[in-house]
Structures are given as C-alpha cells and as structure tokens.
Amino acid sequence: MFEYELHRMNHAQLVREAAAERLAHQAAATAGATRGLRRLGRRSGGQDPEGRVSDGGRGRFVRAA
C-alpha cells in the first residue's frame, strides 16, 4: 500500500506542475506575446539595460534634505 500512496502523491505533484505551466503559457499568450514564449524575457538590440537614460545633466539631481 505504501508504494501506491507514493505513486499517487507523485502523480498529484505532476498534475499540479502541469497545471501551473499551462497557466503560465496562457498568461504569456494573453499578454500579447506575438513572437512566441521564448522571446518574452529578451531585450531587443536597441534597448540597453545599462548606461545613461537621458542628457539631463547634473541639474536634474538635487541635494537631499
């Protein structure tokens, strides 16, 4: 009986993981993922995550109180 219970627990875990993955794919599809799920987390070449944002100069920053 113990092996059967382990089998049922493993099966239930796999069903939960499959449901979570299916939900993630559905959410990605409704978020406007027109290029596929693999490109969701990637940046295009023009969007550099580092560097200056704009040429505001030093005048944009003020001294803290």
Side-chain angles (χ1 to χ4, degrees):
M1 191 72 153
F2 183 70
E3 290 181 23
Y4 177 72
E5 291 172 357
L6 286 177
H7 172 70
R8 295 288 293 176
M9 288 175 24
N10 189 26
H11 175 71
Q13 179 64 29
L14 290 174
V15 168
R16 283 192 297 269
E17 289 176 7
E21 187 171 343
R22 188 170 29 254
L23 182 63
H25 284 286
Q26 288 175 353
T30 59
T34 58
R35 296 183 188 178
L37 295 174
R38 294 184 61 173
R39 295 189 50 96
L40 277 178
R42 298 182 183 175
R43 294 181 182 269
S44 65
Q47 296 175 341
D48 190 16
E50 297 178 2
R52 292 192 126 172
V53 176
S54 65
D55 286 334
R58 293 183 62 99
R60 286 186 48 178
F61 300 100
V62 297
R63 183 171 283 183

